[in-house]
């Protein structure tokens, strides 16, 4: 390509350059999306959740319940925020690792809960609870959240869509798992936890595979 | 200039695009390590920049934003070339073509001999599949009727045969 070719390309780009509205900051866009979802989620939890069984499950372990749910929520919120930031060219790659500490805390705290249940119940603590339903709940809720999230993320037409979509997948799966805790009338066993993880992996993998078609800029 | 360009100021947009070309070329050259790929990367980067110009936030530094776009396109270019290099085998003889068909006889004969030899080296099922479908240009249904191989077997044998012939061609080049 010679300078003349570059000049010709610039001529073409200038000719079709309509005015554009700059995107709001990624932090604001993430906050707006999360705020909307939080409102809808709060209404759904208020209307349908089984809060009594949630409290019963964590009797004498309220502190752990708060930490575990805070870790789930933090994983979801930070992963979604990271997806919005990374959708803009030039964002720090550190956003890729941002959700990992709360995600690790969530796994450790859930694992501790499963272990306590195993010690308390003996072999019964290894039973499969309602794992299939958990998986279905997380995948279905994630699918419902995926459409509005992709819609908002695609506004930025990310130049590297795979990490954006994967972080978005982790975020919505974590938020779905957080919501699940309000509808989970039994203690989580190791196999249930494995099923939750499988659901998260499914959501992240599907979001990752969908990334190019739905988000790509070129 | 970019902020003015976002409002539709064509002159400012032209000045901006023209002024960033040297920077884009420098980033592309550093990332790709090849002068040959630089022009394509700069072109791709300019088109991408045009599509995502609404993501630039007024007041923020332009260079990191621009460098990220050029770097991304350089990585894509390297991957693309890597894929092509993995899938395609260079055959210098194939480029020796002349307007006069008579002049091509030697190279064509060489290629035919090379192809015949490689076909002969294939296992019987693969050899039959290649001969019927690729050399005699039969449809899969016709080839299946002639050979007795199922259509699925023919597809598998053709795939394996081409893979083996490509590997042999690579070995010949070494």
């Amino acid at each position: 390509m010679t300078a003349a070719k570059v000049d010709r390309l610039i001529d073409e780009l200038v000719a079709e350059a309509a005015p554009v509205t700059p995107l709001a900051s990624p932090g604001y866009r993430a906050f707006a999306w999360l705020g909307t979802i939080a409102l809808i989620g709060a209404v759904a939890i208020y209307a349908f959740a089984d809060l009594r069984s949630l409290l019963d499950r964590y009797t004498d372990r309220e502190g752990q319940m708060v930490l575990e749910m805070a870790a789930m929520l933090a994983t979801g919120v930070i992963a979604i925020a990271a997806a919005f930031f990374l959708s803009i060219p030039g964002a720090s790659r550190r956003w890729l690792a941002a959700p990992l500490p709360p995600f690790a805390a969530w796994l450790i705290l859930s694992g501790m809960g499963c272990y306590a249940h195993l010690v308390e119940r003996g072999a019964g603590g290894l039973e499969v609870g309602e794992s299939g339903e958990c998986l279905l709940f997380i995948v279905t809720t994630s699918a419902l959240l995926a459409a509005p999230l992709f819609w908002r993320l695609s506004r930025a037409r990310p130049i590297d869509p795979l990490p954006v979509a994967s972080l978005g997948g982790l975020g919505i799966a974590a938020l779905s798992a957080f919501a699940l805790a309000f509808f989970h009338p039994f203690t989580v066993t190791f196999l249930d936890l494995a099923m939750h993880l499988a659901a998260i992996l499914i959501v992240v993998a599907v979001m990752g595979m969908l990334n190019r078609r739905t988000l790509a800029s070129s | 200039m970019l902020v003015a360009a976002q409002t539709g100021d064509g002159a400012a947009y032209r000045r901006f695009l023209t002024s960033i070309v040297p920077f884009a070329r420098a980033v592309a050259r550093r990332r790709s390590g090849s002068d040959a790929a630089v022009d394509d990367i700069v072109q791709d980067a300019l088109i991408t920049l045009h599509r995502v110009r609404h993501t630039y936030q007024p007041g923020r530094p332009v260079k990191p934003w621009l460098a990220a776009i050029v770097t991304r396109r350089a990585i894509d270019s390297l991957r693309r070339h890597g894929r092509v290099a993995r899938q395609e085998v260079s055959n210098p003889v194939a480029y020796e073509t002349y307007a006069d068909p008579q002049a091509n006889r030697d190279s064509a004969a060489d290629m035919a001999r090379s192809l015949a030899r490689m076909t002969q080296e294939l296992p019987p099922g693969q050899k039959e599949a290649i001969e019927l479908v690729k050399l005699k240009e039969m449809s899969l249904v016709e080839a299946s009727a002639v050979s007795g191989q199922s259509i699925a077997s023919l597809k598998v044998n053709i795939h394996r045969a081409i893979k083996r012939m490509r590997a042999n061609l690579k070995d010949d080049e070494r």
Side-chain angles (χ1 to χ4, degrees):
Chain A
M1 190 179 64
T2 61
K5 274 191 174 177
V6 174
D7 290 343
R8 202 157 53 239
L9 176 62
I10 290 175
D11 286 344
E12 287 169 16
L13 298 179
V14 169
E16 62 174 60
V20 290
T21 308
L23 279 184
S25 76
Y28 174 80
R29 294 171 61 233
F31 180 78
W33 190 86
L34 286 165
T36 309
I37 296 301
L39 271 178
I40 297 168
V43 171
I45 287 169
Y46 179 76
F48 305 112
D50 188 357
L51 292 175
R52 179 160 297 281
S53 70
L54 171 68
L55 294 172
D56 285 348
R57 282 205 320 276
Y58 285 94
T59 304
D60 300 330
R61 293 190 296 130
E62 285 81 2
Q64 191 195 336
M65 176 191 76
V66 170
L67 286 175
E68 199 175 316
M69 294 191 64
M72 276 188 229
L73 187 60
T75 305
V77 169
I78 294 173
I80 296 286
F84 275 97
F85 274 94
L86 279 173
S87 68
I88 302 296
S92 167
R93 302 298 280 180
R94 287 181 187 170
W95 279 109
L96 280 170
L100 295 182
F103 188 42
W106 167 20
L107 294 183
I108 291 167
L109 288 164
S110 294
M112 283 165 60
C114 297
Y115 180 71
H117 182 63
L118 184 65
V119 170
E120 193 180 297
R121 295 272 310 273
L126 281 173
E127 286 170 358
V128 180
E130 306 290 331
S131 302
E133 290 180 14
C134 295
L135 189 134
L136 197 62
F137 182 97
I138 292 176
V139 171
T140 309
T141 311
S142 298
L144 291 174
L145 294 175
L149 180 65
F150 262 124
W151 174 53
R152 295 315 295 165
L153 289 174
S154 66
R155 291 271 295 117
R157 308 178 86 171
I159 55 172
D160 186 13
L162 182 59
V164 174
S166 303
L167 281 168
L170 176 61
I172 57 177
L175 292 179
S176 303
F178 174 77
L180 174 66
F182 293 95
F183 301 90
H184 207 276
F186 50 86
T187 310
V188 174
T189 66
F190 274 115
L191 290 174
D192 293 330
L193 180 60
M195 203 59 97
H196 290 187
L197 276 176
I200 291 167
L201 288 176
I202 289 171
V203 174
V204 173
V206 170
M207 290 283 279
M209 283 190 285
L210 287 175
N211 78 83
R212 287 199 188 282
R213 198 166 297 167
T214 46
L215 293 177
S217 63
S218 64
Chain B
M1 277 188 283
L2 183 52
V3 176
Q6 285 179 326
T7 64
D9 182 340
Y13 192 34
R14 181 186 302 280
R15 278 199 306 279
F16 172 73
L17 291 177
T18 308
S19 69
I20 62 165
V21 168
F23 176 72
R25 292 184 72 86
V27 174
R29 189 171 292 116
R30 193 166 64 241
R31 291 289 173 178
S32 70
S34 144
D35 281 347
V38 166
D39 292 334
D40 286 343
I41 295 168
V42 170
Q43 191 158 248
D44 282 352
L46 288 176
I47 293 168
T48 303
L49 180 154
H50 180 72
R51 287 179 178 160
V52 302
R53 64 193 188 282
H54 64 296
T55 63
Y56 171 72
Q57 293 175 276
R60 308 274 300 173
V62 177
K63 277 193 172 176
W65 179 82
L66 178 59
I69 292 171
V70 182
T71 301
R72 187 68 239 162
R73 288 301 163 243
I75 292 168
D76 288 347
S77 167
L78 285 173
R79 283 186 182 156
R80 206 161 45 234
H81 284 110
R83 269 200 298 274
V84 170
R86 274 199 304 278
Q87 297 295 326
E88 294 184 359
V89 176
S90 164
N91 184 358
V93 177
Y95 300 115
E96 290 177 13
T97 55
Y98 305 95
D100 177 8
Q102 291 300 312
N104 287 317
R105 278 191 313 180
D106 285 349
S107 59
D110 280 349
M111 287 173 72
R113 270 195 296 276
S114 163
L115 189 63
R117 180 181 56 78
M118 283 193 291
T119 312
Q120 289 305 319
E121 288 170 357
L122 293 172
Q126 293 177 19
K127 183 182 158 201
E128 188 178 35
I130 280 286
E131 281 177 349
L132 294 178
V133 178
K134 296 295 179 187
L135 301 182
K136 294 183 180 171
E137 298 185 342
M138 286 185 183
S139 70
L140 285 168
V141 176
E142 290 166 344
S144 176
V146 171
S147 66
Q149 294 188 45
S150 69
I151 289 178
S153 301
L154 282 170
K155 285 181 181 174
V156 169
N157 278 330
I158 290 168
H159 173 73
R160 288 179 179 163
I162 290 175
K163 203 170 161 188
R164 183 186 284 248
M165 289 164 84
R166 187 180 284 148
N168 288 345
L169 204 54
K170 270 186 183 169
D171 288 344
D172 288 351
E173 280 178 10
R174 288 195 190 113

